[in-house]
Coordinates of all heavy atoms in Angstrom, one line a residue:
M590 N 58.8 -13.3 -125.1 CA 58.5 -11.9 -124.8 C 57.7 -11.3 -126.0 O 58.1 -11.5 -127.2 CB 59.7 -11.1 -124.5 CG 59.3 -9.7 -124.1 SD 60.8 -8.8 -123.5 CE 60.5 -7.3 -124.3
I591 N 56.7 -10.6 -125.7 CA 55.9 -9.9 -126.8 C 56.1 -8.4 -126.5 O 55.5 -7.9 -125.6 CB 54.5 -10.3 -126.8 CG1 54.3 -11.8 -127.0 CG2 53.7 -9.5 -127.8 CD1 52.9 -12.3 -126.7
P592 N 57.0 -7.7 -127.2 CA 57.1 -6.2 -127.0 C 55.8 -5.5 -127.4 O 55.3 -5.8 -128.5 CB 58.3 -5.8 -127.9 CG 58.5 -6.9 -128.8 CD 57.8 -8.2 -128.3
F593 N 55.3 -4.6 -126.5 CA 54.1 -4.0 -126.8 C 54.0 -2.7 -126.0 O 54.3 -2.7 -124.8 CB 52.9 -4.8 -126.4 CG 51.6 -4.3 -126.8 CD1 51.1 -4.4 -128.1 CD2 50.8 -3.6 -125.9 CE1 49.9 -3.8 -128.4 CE2 49.6 -3.1 -126.2 CZ 49.1 -3.2 -127.5
K594 N 53.7 -1.6 -126.7 CA 53.5 -0.3 -126.0 C 52.1 -0.2 -125.5 O 51.2 -0.1 -126.3 CB 53.9 0.9 -127.0 CG 53.8 2.2 -126.3 CD 54.2 3.3 -127.4 CE 54.1 4.7 -126.8 NZ 54.3 5.7 -127.7
L595 N 51.9 -0.2 -124.2 CA 50.6 -0.3 -123.6 C 49.7 1.0 -123.8 O 48.5 0.9 -124.1 CB 50.6 -0.6 -122.1 CG 51.0 -2.0 -121.7 CD1 51.1 -2.1 -120.2 CD2 49.9 -2.9 -122.2
I596 N 50.3 2.1 -123.7 CA 49.5 3.4 -123.9 C 50.0 4.0 -125.2 O 51.1 4.5 -125.2 CB 49.6 4.3 -122.7 CG1 49.1 3.6 -121.4 CG2 48.9 5.6 -123.0 CD1 49.2 4.4 -120.2
D597 N 49.2 4.0 -126.2 CA 49.6 4.5 -127.5 C 48.4 5.3 -128.0 O 47.4 4.8 -128.5 CB 49.9 3.3 -128.5 CG 50.4 3.8 -129.8 OD1 50.3 5.0 -130.1 OD2 50.9 2.9 -130.6
E598 N 48.6 6.7 -127.9 CA 47.5 7.6 -128.2 C 47.0 7.4 -129.7 O 45.9 7.7 -130.0 CB 48.0 9.0 -128.0 CG 48.2 9.4 -126.5 CD 47.0 9.3 -125.7 OE1 45.9 9.6 -126.1 OE2 47.1 9.0 -124.5
S599 N 47.9 7.0 -130.6 CA 47.5 6.8 -132.0 C 46.5 5.7 -132.2 O 45.9 5.6 -133.3 CB 48.8 6.6 -132.8 OG 49.3 5.3 -132.6
K600 N 46.3 4.9 -131.2 CA 45.3 3.7 -131.4 C 43.9 4.0 -130.9 O 43.0 3.2 -131.1 CB 45.9 2.5 -130.6 CG 47.2 2.1 -131.3 CD 47.7 0.8 -130.7 CE 49.0 0.5 -131.4 NZ 49.6 -0.8 -130.9
F601 N 43.7 5.2 -130.4 CA 42.3 5.6 -130.0 C 41.6 6.1 -131.3 O 42.1 6.7 -132.2 CB 42.3 6.8 -129.0 CG 42.8 6.3 -127.6 CD1 44.1 6.3 -127.3 CD2 41.9 5.9 -126.7 CE1 44.6 5.9 -126.1 CE2 42.3 5.5 -125.4 CZ 43.6 5.5 -125.1
R602 N 40.3 5.7 -131.3 CA 39.4 6.2 -132.5 C 38.3 7.0 -131.9 O 37.8 6.9 -130.8 CB 38.8 4.9 -133.1 CG 39.8 4.0 -133.8 CD 39.1 2.8 -134.4 NE 40.1 1.9 -135.0 CZ 39.8 0.7 -135.3 NH1 38.6 0.2 -135.1 NH2 40.8 -0.1 -135.7
D603 N 37.8 7.9 -132.8 CA 36.7 8.8 -132.4 C 35.3 8.1 -132.5 O 34.4 8.4 -131.8 CB 36.7 10.1 -133.2 CG 37.8 11.0 -132.8 OD1 38.3 10.9 -131.6 OD2 38.3 11.7 -133.7
D604 N 35.2 7.2 -133.5 CA 33.9 6.6 -133.8 C 33.5 5.4 -132.9 O 32.3 5.1 -132.7 CB 33.8 6.2 -135.3 CG 34.9 5.2 -135.7 OD1 35.9 5.2 -135.1 OD2 34.6 4.5 -136.7
S605 N 34.5 4.6 -132.4 CA 34.2 3.5 -131.6 C 35.5 3.1 -130.9 O 36.6 3.5 -131.3 CB 33.7 2.3 -132.4 OG 34.6 1.8 -133.2
Y606 N 35.4 2.1 -130.0 CA 36.6 1.7 -129.3 C 37.5 0.9 -130.3 O 37.0 0.4 -131.3 CB 36.3 0.9 -128.0 CG 35.8 -0.5 -128.3 CD1 36.6 -1.6 -128.5 CD2 34.4 -0.8 -128.3 CE1 36.1 -2.9 -128.7 CE2 33.9 -2.0 -128.5 CZ 34.7 -3.1 -128.7 OH 34.2 -4.3 -128.9
N607 N 38.7 0.7 -130.0 CA 39.7 -0.1 -130.8 C 40.2 -1.2 -129.9 O 40.5 -1.0 -128.7 CB 40.8 0.8 -131.3 CG 41.8 0.0 -132.2 OD1 41.5 -1.0 -132.7 ND2 43.0 0.5 -132.3
A608 N 40.2 -2.4 -130.4 CA 40.7 -3.6 -129.7 C 41.8 -4.2 -130.5 O 41.7 -4.4 -131.7 CB 39.6 -4.6 -129.5
E609 N 42.9 -4.5 -129.8 CA 44.1 -5.1 -130.4 C 44.5 -6.3 -129.7 O 44.8 -6.3 -128.5 CB 45.2 -4.1 -130.4 CG 46.5 -4.6 -131.1 CD 47.5 -3.5 -131.2 OE1 47.3 -2.3 -130.9 OE2 48.6 -3.9 -131.7
M610 N 44.4 -7.5 -130.4 CA 44.8 -8.8 -129.8 C 46.3 -8.8 -129.6 O 47.0 -8.6 -130.6 CB 44.3 -9.9 -130.6 CG 44.6 -11.3 -130.1 SD 43.6 -11.7 -128.7 CE 42.0 -11.8 -129.4
I611 N 46.8 -9.0 -128.4 CA 48.2 -9.1 -128.2 C 48.7 -10.5 -128.1 O 49.7 -10.9 -128.6 CB 48.6 -8.3 -126.9 CG1 48.2 -6.8 -127.0 CG2 50.1 -8.4 -126.6 CD1 48.2 -6.1 -125.7
Y612 N 47.9 -11.3 -127.4 CA 48.2 -12.8 -127.3 C 46.9 -13.5 -127.2 O 45.9 -13.1 -126.5 CB 49.0 -13.0 -126.0 CG 49.4 -14.4 -125.7 CD1 50.4 -15.0 -126.4 CD2 48.6 -15.2 -124.8 CE1 50.7 -16.4 -126.1 CE2 48.9 -16.5 -124.6 CZ 50.0 -17.1 -125.2 OH 50.3 -18.4 -125.0
D613 N 46.8 -14.7 -127.7 CA 45.6 -15.5 -127.7 C 45.9 -17.0 -127.6 O 46.7 -17.5 -128.4 CB 44.7 -15.3 -128.9 CG 43.3 -15.8 -128.7 OD1 42.9 -16.1 -127.6 OD2 42.6 -16.0 -129.7
S614 N 45.4 -17.7 -126.6 CA 45.5 -19.1 -126.5 C 44.1 -19.6 -125.9 O 43.3 -18.8 -125.5 CB 46.6 -19.5 -125.5 OG 46.3 -19.3 -124.2
P615 N 43.9 -20.9 -125.8 CA 42.6 -21.4 -125.3 C 42.3 -21.0 -123.9 O 41.2 -20.9 -123.5 CB 42.8 -23.0 -125.4 CG 43.8 -23.2 -126.5 CD 44.8 -22.0 -126.4
N616 N 43.4 -20.8 -123.1 CA 43.1 -20.4 -121.7 C 43.5 -19.0 -121.2 O 43.2 -18.6 -120.1 CB 43.9 -21.4 -120.8 CG 43.4 -22.8 -121.0 OD1 42.2 -23.1 -121.0 ND2 44.4 -23.7 -121.2
F617 N 44.2 -18.3 -122.1 CA 44.7 -17.0 -121.7 C 44.7 -16.1 -122.9 O 45.1 -16.4 -124.0 CB 46.1 -17.1 -121.1 CG 46.7 -15.8 -120.6 CD1 46.1 -15.3 -119.4 CD2 47.7 -15.2 -121.2 CE1 46.7 -14.1 -118.9 CE2 48.3 -14.1 -120.7 CZ 47.7 -13.5 -119.6
R618 N 44.2 -14.8 -122.7 CA 44.1 -13.9 -123.8 C 44.5 -12.5 -123.3 O 44.1 -12.1 -122.2 CB 42.7 -13.9 -124.3 CG 42.5 -12.9 -125.5 CD 41.0 -13.0 -126.0 NE 40.8 -14.3 -126.5 CZ 39.6 -14.8 -126.8 NH1 38.5 -14.2 -126.5 NH2 39.5 -16.0 -127.3
I619 N 45.3 -11.8 -124.1 CA 45.6 -10.4 -123.7 C 45.1 -9.5 -124.9 O 45.5 -9.7 -126.0 CB 47.1 -10.1 -123.6 CG1 47.7 -11.0 -122.4 CG2 47.4 -8.6 -123.3 CD1 49.2 -10.9 -122.3
V620 N 44.2 -8.6 -124.6 CA 43.6 -7.7 -125.6 C 43.7 -6.3 -125.0 O 43.4 -6.0 -123.9 CB 42.1 -8.0 -125.9 CG1 41.6 -7.1 -126.9 CG2 41.9 -9.4 -126.3
A621 N 44.3 -5.4 -125.8 CA 44.3 -4.0 -125.4 C 43.1 -3.3 -126.0 O 42.8 -3.3 -127.2 CB 45.6 -3.3 -125.9
F622 N 42.3 -2.7 -125.1 CA 41.1 -1.9 -125.6 C 41.4 -0.4 -125.4 O 41.8 0.0 -124.3 CB 39.9 -2.3 -124.7 CG 39.3 -3.6 -125.0 CD1 39.7 -4.7 -124.4 CD2 38.3 -3.7 -126.0 CE1 39.2 -6.0 -124.6 CE2 37.8 -5.0 -126.3 CZ 38.2 -6.1 -125.6
Y623 N 41.2 0.3 -126.4 CA 41.4 1.8 -126.4 C 40.0 2.5 -126.5 O 39.4 2.4 -127.5 CB 42.3 2.2 -127.5 CG 43.6 1.6 -127.5 CD1 43.9 0.4 -128.2 CD2 44.7 2.2 -126.9 CE1 45.1 -0.2 -128.1 CE2 46.0 1.6 -126.8 CZ 46.2 0.4 -127.5 OH 47.4 -0.2 -127.5
L624 N 39.6 3.1 -125.4 CA 38.3 3.7 -125.3 C 38.4 5.2 -125.0 O 39.1 5.6 -124.1 CB 37.4 3.1 -124.2 CG 36.9 1.7 -124.4 CD1 38.0 0.7 -124.0 CD2 35.7 1.5 -123.6
R625 N 37.7 6.0 -125.7 CA 37.6 7.4 -125.4 C 36.4 7.6 -124.4 O 35.6 6.7 -124.3 CB 37.4 8.3 -126.6 CG 38.6 8.3 -127.6 CD 38.5 9.5 -128.5 NE 39.6 9.5 -129.5 CZ 40.8 9.9 -129.3 NH1 41.2 10.3 -128.1 NH2 41.7 9.9 -130.2
A626 N 36.3 8.7 -123.8 CA 35.2 9.0 -122.8 C 33.9 8.7 -123.5 O 33.6 9.1 -124.6 CB 35.2 10.4 -122.3
G627 N 33.0 7.9 -122.8 CA 31.7 7.6 -123.3 C 31.7 6.3 -124.1 O 30.6 5.7 -124.3
Q628 N 32.8 5.8 -124.6 CA 32.8 4.6 -125.4 C 32.7 3.4 -124.5 O 33.1 3.5 -123.3 CB 34.0 4.5 -126.3 CG 34.1 5.5 -127.4 CD 35.4 5.5 -128.2 OE1 36.4 4.9 -127.8 NE2 35.3 6.1 -129.4
E629 N 32.2 2.3 -125.0 CA 32.1 1.1 -124.1 C 32.3 -0.2 -124.9 O 32.1 -0.2 -126.1 CB 30.7 1.1 -123.4 CG 29.5 0.9 -124.4 CD 28.2 0.8 -123.7 OE1 27.8 -0.2 -123.2 OE2 27.6 1.9 -123.5
V630 N 32.6 -1.2 -124.1 CA 32.7 -2.6 -124.6 C 31.5 -3.2 -124.0 O 31.3 -3.4 -122.8 CB 34.0 -3.3 -124.2 CG1 33.9 -4.8 -124.6 CG2 35.2 -2.6 -124.7
S631 N 30.5 -3.6 -124.9 CA 29.2 -4.1 -124.4 C 29.4 -5.4 -123.6 O 30.4 -6.2 -123.9 CB 28.3 -4.4 -125.6 OG 28.0 -3.2 -126.3
P632 N 28.6 -5.7 -122.6 CA 28.7 -6.9 -121.8 C 28.7 -8.1 -122.7 O 27.8 -8.2 -123.6 CB 27.5 -6.8 -120.9 CG 27.2 -5.4 -120.8 CD 27.5 -4.8 -122.1
H633 N 29.6 -9.1 -122.5 CA 29.7 -10.3 -123.2 C 30.4 -11.3 -122.4 O 30.9 -11.0 -121.3 CB 30.4 -10.0 -124.6 CG 31.8 -9.6 -124.4 ND1 32.1 -8.3 -124.0 CD2 33.0 -10.2 -124.6 CE1 33.5 -8.2 -124.0 NE2 34.0 -9.3 -124.3
T634 N 30.5 -12.6 -122.9 CA 31.2 -13.6 -122.2 C 32.3 -14.1 -123.1 O 32.2 -14.1 -124.4 CB 30.3 -14.8 -121.8 OG1 29.7 -15.3 -123.0 CG2 29.2 -14.4 -120.8
V635 N 33.4 -14.6 -122.5 CA 34.5 -15.3 -123.3 C 34.9 -16.5 -122.5 O 34.7 -16.6 -121.3 CB 35.7 -14.3 -123.5 CG1 35.3 -13.2 -124.5 CG2 36.2 -13.8 -122.2
K636 N 35.6 -17.4 -123.2 CA 36.0 -18.7 -122.5 C 37.1 -18.5 -121.5 O 37.1 -19.0 -120.4 CB 36.4 -19.7 -123.6 CG 36.9 -21.0 -123.0 CD 37.3 -22.0 -124.1 CE 37.9 -23.2 -123.4 NZ 38.4 -24.1 -124.4
P637 N 38.2 -17.7 -121.9 CA 39.3 -17.6 -120.9 C 39.0 -16.7 -119.7 O 38.1 -15.9 -119.8 CB 40.5 -17.1 -121.7 CG 39.9 -16.4 -122.9 CD 38.6 -17.1 -123.1
E638 N 39.7 -16.9 -118.6 CA 39.6 -16.0 -117.5 C 40.1 -14.6 -118.0 O 41.0 -14.6 -118.8 CB 40.5 -16.5 -116.4 CG 40.3 -15.8 -115.1 CD 41.0 -16.5 -113.9 OE1 41.9 -17.3 -114.2 OE2 40.5 -16.4 -112.8
V639 N 39.6 -13.5 -117.5 CA 39.9 -12.2 -118.0 C 40.4 -11.3 -116.8 O 39.7 -11.3 -115.7 CB 38.7 -11.6 -118.7 CG1 39.0 -10.1 -119.0 CG2 38.3 -12.4 -119.9
S640 N 41.4 -10.6 -117.0 CA 41.9 -9.5 -116.1 C 41.7 -8.2 -116.8 O 42.3 -8.0 -117.9 CB 43.3 -9.8 -115.7 OG 43.8 -8.6 -115.0
M641 N 40.9 -7.3 -116.3 CA 40.8 -6.0 -116.9 C 41.5 -4.9 -116.0 O 41.2 -4.9 -114.8 CB 39.3 -5.6 -117.0 CG 38.5 -6.5 -117.9 SD 36.8 -6.1 -118.0 CE 36.1 -6.5 -116.4
T642 N 42.3 -4.1 -116.6 CA 43.1 -3.1 -115.9 C 42.9 -1.8 -116.5 O 43.0 -1.6 -117.7 CB 44.6 -3.5 -115.9 OG1 44.8 -4.8 -115.5 CG2 45.5 -2.5 -115.1
I643 N 42.7 -0.8 -115.7 CA 42.6 0.6 -116.1 C 44.0 1.2 -116.1 O 44.6 1.3 -115.1 CB 41.6 1.4 -115.2 CG1 40.2 0.8 -115.1 CG2 41.6 2.9 -115.7 CD1 39.4 1.0 -116.3
L644 N 44.5 1.5 -117.3 CA 45.8 2.1 -117.4 C 45.8 3.6 -117.4 O 46.8 4.2 -117.0 CB 46.5 1.6 -118.7 CG 46.7 0.1 -118.8 CD1 47.3 -0.3 -120.2 CD2 47.7 -0.4 -117.7
K645 N 44.7 4.2 -117.9 CA 44.6 5.6 -117.9 C 43.2 6.0 -117.8 O 42.3 5.4 -118.5 CB 45.2 6.1 -119.3 CG 45.3 7.6 -119.4 CD 46.0 8.0 -120.7 CE 46.1 9.5 -120.8 NZ 46.7 9.9 -122.1
G646 N 42.9 7.0 -117.0 CA 41.5 7.5 -116.9 C 40.7 6.8 -115.8 O 41.3 6.2 -114.9
K647 N 39.4 6.7 -116.0 CA 38.5 6.0 -115.1 C 37.3 5.5 -115.9 O 37.0 5.9 -117.0 CB 38.1 6.9 -114.0 CG 37.3 8.1 -114.4 CD 36.9 9.0 -113.3 CE 36.1 10.2 -113.8 NZ 35.7 11.1 -112.7
G648 N 36.6 4.5 -115.3 CA 35.5 4.0 -116.0 C 34.7 3.0 -115.1 O 35.0 2.8 -113.9
K649 N 33.8 2.3 -115.7 CA 33.0 1.2 -115.1 C 33.5 -0.1 -115.7 O 33.6 -0.2 -116.9 CB 31.5 1.4 -115.3 CG 30.9 2.6 -114.6 CD 29.4 2.4 -114.5 CE 28.8 3.5 -113.7 NZ 29.1 3.5 -112.3
L650 N 33.7 -1.1 -114.8 CA 34.1 -2.4 -115.2 C 32.9 -3.3 -114.8 O 32.4 -3.3 -113.7 CB 35.4 -2.9 -114.6 CG 36.6 -2.1 -114.9 CD1 37.8 -2.7 -114.2 CD2 36.9 -2.1 -116.4
I651 N 32.5 -4.2 -115.7 CA 31.5 -5.2 -115.4 C 32.3 -6.5 -115.3 O 33.0 -6.9 -116.2 CB 30.5 -5.3 -116.5 CG1 29.7 -4.0 -116.7 CG2 29.5 -6.5 -116.3 CD1 28.9 -3.9 -117.9
A652 N 32.1 -7.1 -114.1 CA 32.8 -8.4 -113.8 C 31.8 -9.4 -113.2 O 31.4 -9.2 -112.1 CB 34.0 -8.2 -112.9
G653 N 31.3 -10.3 -114.0 CA 30.3 -11.2 -113.5 C 29.0 -10.4 -113.3 O 28.6 -9.7 -114.2
D654 N 28.4 -10.5 -112.1 CA 27.2 -9.9 -111.8 C 27.4 -8.5 -111.1 O 26.4 -8.0 -110.5 CB 26.2 -10.8 -111.0 CG 26.8 -11.2 -109.7 OD1 28.0 -10.9 -109.4 OD2 26.1 -11.9 -109.0
K655 N 28.6 -8.0 -111.1 CA 28.9 -6.8 -110.4 C 29.4 -5.7 -111.3 O 30.0 -6.1 -112.3 CB 29.9 -7.1 -109.3 CG 29.4 -8.0 -108.2 CD 30.4 -8.1 -107.1 CE 29.8 -8.7 -105.8 NZ 29.5 -10.0 -105.7
Q656 N 29.2 -4.5 -111.0 CA 29.8 -3.3 -111.7 C 30.7 -2.6 -110.7 O 30.3 -2.4 -109.5 CB 28.7 -2.4 -112.2 CG 28.1 -2.8 -113.4 CD 27.3 -1.7 -114.1 OE1 27.5 -0.6 -113.8 NE2 26.3 -2.1 -114.9
Y657 N 31.8 -2.1 -111.2 CA 32.8 -1.4 -110.3 C 33.1 -0.1 -111.0 O 33.4 0.0 -112.2 CB 34.1 -2.2 -110.2 CG 33.9 -3.6 -109.5 CD1 33.7 -4.7 -110.4 CD2 33.9 -3.7 -108.2 CE1 33.5 -5.9 -109.8 CE2 33.7 -5.0 -107.6 CZ 33.5 -6.1 -108.4 OH 33.4 -7.3 -107.9
D658 N 33.2 1.0 -110.1 CA 33.8 2.2 -110.6 C 35.3 2.0 -110.4 O 35.7 1.7 -109.3 CB 33.3 3.4 -109.7 CG 31.9 3.7 -110.0 OD1 31.5 3.7 -111.2 OD2 31.1 4.0 -109.1
A659 N 36.1 2.2 -111.5 CA 37.5 1.9 -111.4 C 38.3 3.1 -111.9 O 37.8 3.9 -112.7 CB 37.8 0.7 -112.2
K660 N 39.5 3.2 -111.4 CA 40.4 4.3 -111.8 C 41.8 3.7 -112.2 O 42.0 2.5 -112.0 CB 40.5 5.4 -110.8 CG 41.0 4.9 -109.4 CD 41.0 6.0 -108.4 CE 41.5 5.7 -107.1 NZ 40.9 4.6 -106.4
E661 N 42.7 4.5 -112.6 CA 44.0 4.1 -113.0 C 44.6 3.2 -112.0 O 44.6 3.4 -110.8 CB 44.9 5.3 -113.2 CG 44.6 6.1 -114.5 CD 45.5 7.3 -114.7 OE1 46.7 7.2 -114.3 OE2 45.1 8.2 -115.3
G662 N 45.2 2.0 -112.5 CA 45.9 1.1 -111.7 C 45.0 0.0 -111.0 O 45.5 -0.9 -110.4
E663 N 43.7 0.1 -111.2 CA 42.8 -0.9 -110.6 C 42.5 -2.0 -111.6 O 42.5 -1.8 -112.8 CB 41.5 -0.2 -110.1 CG 41.8 0.7 -108.9 CD 40.6 1.3 -108.3 OE1 39.5 1.5 -109.0 OE2 40.7 1.7 -107.1
I664 N 42.3 -3.2 -111.0 CA 42.1 -4.4 -111.8 C 40.9 -5.2 -111.3 O 40.6 -5.2 -110.1 CB 43.3 -5.4 -111.6 CG1 44.6 -4.7 -112.1 CG2 43.1 -6.7 -112.3 CD1 45.9 -5.5 -111.8
A665 N 40.1 -5.7 -112.3 CA 39.0 -6.7 -112.0 C 39.3 -8.0 -112.7 O 39.8 -7.9 -113.9 CB 37.7 -6.1 -112.5
V666 N 39.1 -9.1 -112.1 CA 39.3 -10.4 -112.7 C 38.0 -11.1 -112.8 O 37.1 -11.0 -111.9 CB 40.2 -11.3 -111.8 CG1 40.4 -12.7 -112.4 CG2 41.6 -10.6 -111.6
V667 N 37.7 -11.6 -114.0 CA 36.4 -12.2 -114.4 C 36.7 -13.7 -114.7 O 37.6 -14.1 -115.5 CB 35.8 -11.6 -115.6 CG1 34.4 -12.1 -115.9 CG2 35.7 -10.0 -115.4
A668 N 35.9 -14.6 -114.0 CA 36.0 -16.0 -114.2 C 35.6 -16.4 -115.7 O 34.8 -15.6 -116.3 CB 35.2 -16.8 -113.2
P669 N 36.0 -17.5 -116.2 CA 35.6 -18.0 -117.5 C 34.1 -18.0 -117.6 O 33.4 -18.4 -116.7 CB 36.2 -19.4 -117.6 CG 37.4 -19.4 -116.7 CD 36.9 -18.5 -115.5
W670 N 33.6 -17.6 -118.8 CA 32.2 -17.7 -119.2 C 31.3 -16.8 -118.3 O 30.1 -16.9 -118.4 CB 31.7 -19.1 -119.2 CG 32.3 -19.9 -120.2 CD1 33.1 -21.0 -120.0 CD2 32.3 -19.8 -121.6 NE1 33.5 -21.6 -121.2 CE2 33.1 -20.8 -122.2 CE3 31.7 -18.9 -122.5 CZ2 33.2 -21.0 -123.6 CZ3 31.9 -19.0 -123.9 CH2 32.6 -20.1 -124.4
K671 N 31.9 -15.8 -117.6 CA 31.1 -14.8 -116.9 C 31.1 -13.5 -117.7 O 31.9 -13.3 -118.5 CB 31.8 -14.5 -115.5 CG 31.8 -15.7 -114.6 CD 30.3 -16.1 -114.2 CE 30.4 -17.3 -113.2 NZ 29.1 -17.7 -112.8
V672 N 30.0 -12.7 -117.5 CA 29.8 -11.5 -118.2 C 31.0 -10.5 -117.9 O 31.4 -10.4 -116.7 CB 28.5 -10.9 -117.9 CG1 28.3 -9.5 -118.5 CG2 27.4 -11.8 -118.3
M673 N 31.4 -9.8 -118.9 CA 32.4 -8.8 -118.7 C 32.1 -7.6 -119.6 O 31.5 -7.8 -120.7 CB 33.8 -9.3 -118.9 CG 34.0 -9.8 -120.3 SD 35.8 -10.0 -120.8 CE 36.2 -8.4 -121.2
G674 N 32.6 -6.4 -119.3 CA 32.4 -5.3 -120.2 C 33.0 -4.1 -119.5 O 33.5 -4.1 -118.4
S675 N 33.0 -2.9 -120.2 CA 33.6 -1.7 -119.6 C 33.1 -0.5 -120.3 O 32.6 -0.6 -121.4 CB 35.1 -1.7 -119.7 OG 35.5 -1.8 -121.1
Q676 N 33.1 0.6 -119.6 CA 32.8 1.9 -120.2 C 33.7 3.0 -119.6 O 33.9 3.0 -118.4 CB 31.3 2.3 -119.8 CG 30.9 3.6 -120.4 CD 29.5 4.1 -120.0 OE1 29.1 3.9 -118.9 NE2 28.8 4.6 -121.0
R677 N 34.3 3.8 -120.5 CA 35.2 4.8 -120.1 C 34.4 6.1 -119.7 O 33.5 6.5 -120.5 CB 36.2 5.2 -121.1 CG 37.2 6.2 -120.6 CD 38.4 6.3 -121.4 NE 39.3 7.4 -120.9 CZ 40.3 7.8 -121.5 NH1 40.7 7.3 -122.7 NH2 41.1 8.7 -121.0
Q678 N 34.7 6.7 -118.6 CA 34.0 7.9 -118.2 C 34.9 9.1 -118.5 O 36.2 9.0 -118.6 CB 33.7 7.8 -116.7 CG 32.7 6.7 -116.4 CD 32.5 6.5 -115.0 OE1 33.4 6.8 -114.2 NE2 31.5 5.8 -114.6
P679 N 34.4 10.3 -118.6 CA 35.2 11.5 -118.7 C 36.2 11.6 -117.6 O 35.9 11.3 -116.4 CB 34.2 12.7 -118.7 CG 32.9 12.0 -119.1 CD 32.9 10.6 -118.5
I680 N 37.3 12.2 -117.9 CA 38.4 12.3 -116.8 C 38.0 13.5 -116.0 O 37.6 14.5 -116.4 CB 39.8 12.5 -117.5 CG1 40.1 11.2 -118.2 CG2 40.8 12.8 -116.4 CD1 41.4 11.2 -119.0

């Protein structure tokens, strides 16, 4: 078990998003991204399959060749080596 507080207001930054690696292996990775309104994670690819979950607020998720408007509690899954990214929108 890896104890981790998912929503931690102290981890948000004003100048750019903050990423915290929680777990990493060749096939599975957990990263917590903290984004304020307007901040984004630029589209990129990674080796492991990725699940992106909106825990608070709303935003756009890029999963492969599609973009989704997402809100709290919604998940997008991205296959290995497919483009992924996100942008937080104002609440």
Side-chain angles (χ1 to χ4, degrees):
M590 182 174 140
I591 302 171
F593 186 81
K594 184 178 177 183
L595 285 175
I596 299 176
D597 185 345
E598 296 294 329
S599 71
K600 296 186 179 182
F601 288 88
R602 297 181 183 161
D603 291 330
D604 58 334
S605 69
Y606 73 85
N607 183 20
E609 183 174 351
M610 183 73 65
I611 299 168
Y612 178 82
D613 192 20
S614 75
N616 298 312
F617 184 68
R618 180 178 293 165
I619 302 172
V620 182
F622 287 91
Y623 300 90
L624 289 83
R625 292 200 186 279
Q628 294 178 342
E629 67 179 273
V630 177
S631 297
H633 63 286
T634 59
V635 294
K636 180 181 177 186
E638 189 168 27
V639 173
S640 169
M641 297 182 289
T642 306
I643 303 285
L644 296 175
K645 186 176 179 181
K647 61 183 180 177
K649 289 200 177 292
L650 298 178
I651 299 168
D654 59 355
K655 295 185 166 73
Q656 280 194 20
Y657 301 93
D658 289 320
K660 60 185 183 298
E661 288 181 27
E663 294 185 332
I664 297 172
V666 177
V667 185
W670 295 115
K671 296 293 182 182
V672 174
M673 60 164 283
S675 61
Q676 180 183 42
R677 182 163 179 191
Q678 297 172 339
I680 297 175

